[in-house]
């Protein structure tokens, strides 16, 4: 099977990280305090890659599905969720259902979205989370249920920060203000 690669093949190291974490699960060393596999070694829990790739390695291990397949499914699922998220955001902005569905499809198939998100999973996660954060923010502003909506808004913002892309940090002020 073929991986969805960009011209620069930037997602090959990501797949290598997933396989590395997969083998660490097999060896029982994934949750050790020190990971000697990164550079000269580092604390496991603070690695950006650990936060993003260890769950995929765990899913591959638990389901006995190849990490390659889990990676592909993650890419496809994040594309689909990005389009659905944009449709939900447009609906929360009181756009008609049919127009919101078309807007979600346009967002999903936008050339920048396709070109950037195939580069690395960081960008893919960012493009997937962005409309959901806008939707949660819209609900937070309009809702009487502040606690529930602030939980979802905060969770999505935290996930965006953990995605590790500088795009998220650069656009965060515009989301919040």
């Amino acid at each position: 099977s073929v991986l969805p690669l960009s011209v620069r093949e930037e997602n090959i190291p990501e797949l290598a990280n997933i396989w590395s974490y997969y083998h660490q699960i097999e060896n029982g060393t994934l949750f050790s305090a020190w990971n000697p596999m990164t550079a000269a070694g580092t604390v496991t829990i603070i690695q950006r890659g650990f936060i993003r790739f260890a769950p995929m390695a765990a899913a591959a291990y638990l389901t006995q599905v190849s990490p390659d397949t889990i990676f592909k499914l993650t890419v496809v699922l994040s594309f689909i969720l990005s389009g659905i998220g944009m449709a939900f955001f447009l609906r929360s902005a009181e756009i008609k259902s049919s127009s919101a569905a078309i807007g979600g499809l346009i967002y999903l198939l936008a050339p920048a979205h396709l070109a950037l998100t195939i580069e690395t999973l960081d960008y893919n996660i960012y493009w997937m989370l962005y409309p959901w954060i806008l939707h949660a923010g819209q609900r937070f502003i309009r809702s009487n249920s502040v606690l529930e909506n602030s939980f979802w808004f905060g969770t999505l913002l935290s996930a965006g920060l953990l995605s590790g892309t500088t795009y998220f940090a650069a656009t965060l002020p515009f989301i919040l203000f």
Side-chain angles (χ1 to χ4, degrees), residues 113-131:
H113 186 188
L114 294 174
L116 284 174
T117 56
I118 207 66
E119 287 289 328
T120 66
L121 203 56
D122 293 353
Y123 297 134
N124 206 332
I125 292 170
Y126 165 78
W127 277 76
M128 186 231 0
L129 286 173
Y130 201 73

Side-chain angles (χ1 to χ4, degrees), residues 27-41:
N27 298 334
T29 59
L30 180 66
F31 295 107
S32 62
W34 187 257
N35 181 359
M37 302 298 287
T38 302

Side-chain angles (χ1 to χ4, degrees), residues 145-168:
S145 177
V146 174
L147 187 59
E148 177 186 344
N149 288 312
S150 60
F151 168 78
W152 287 114
F153 191 52
T155 301
L156 289 166
L157 284 174
S158 299
L161 288 170
L162 292 174
S163 75
T165 178
T166 54
Y167 281 177
F168 189 81

Side-chain angles (χ1 to χ4, degrees), residues 72-135:
K72 290 178 203 175
L73 290 173
T74 303
V75 169
V76 168
L77 184 63
S78 63
F79 265 96
I80 292 168
L81 287 174
S82 71
I84 293 171
M86 182 54 73
F88 269 77
F89 167 64
L90 293 173
R91 282 298 297 140
S92 69
E94 299 178 359
I95 304 294
K96 290 189 319 185
S97 295
S98 58
S99 299
I102 291 169
L105 191 60
I106 289 171
Y107 183 78
L108 175 94
L109 299 174
H113 186 188
L114 294 174
L116 284 174
T117 56
I118 207 66
E119 287 289 328
T120 66
L121 203 56
D122 293 353
Y123 297 134
N124 206 332
I125 292 170
Y126 165 78
W127 277 76
M128 186 231 0
L129 286 173
Y130 201 73
W132 288 103
I133 291 169
L134 293 173
H135 172 63

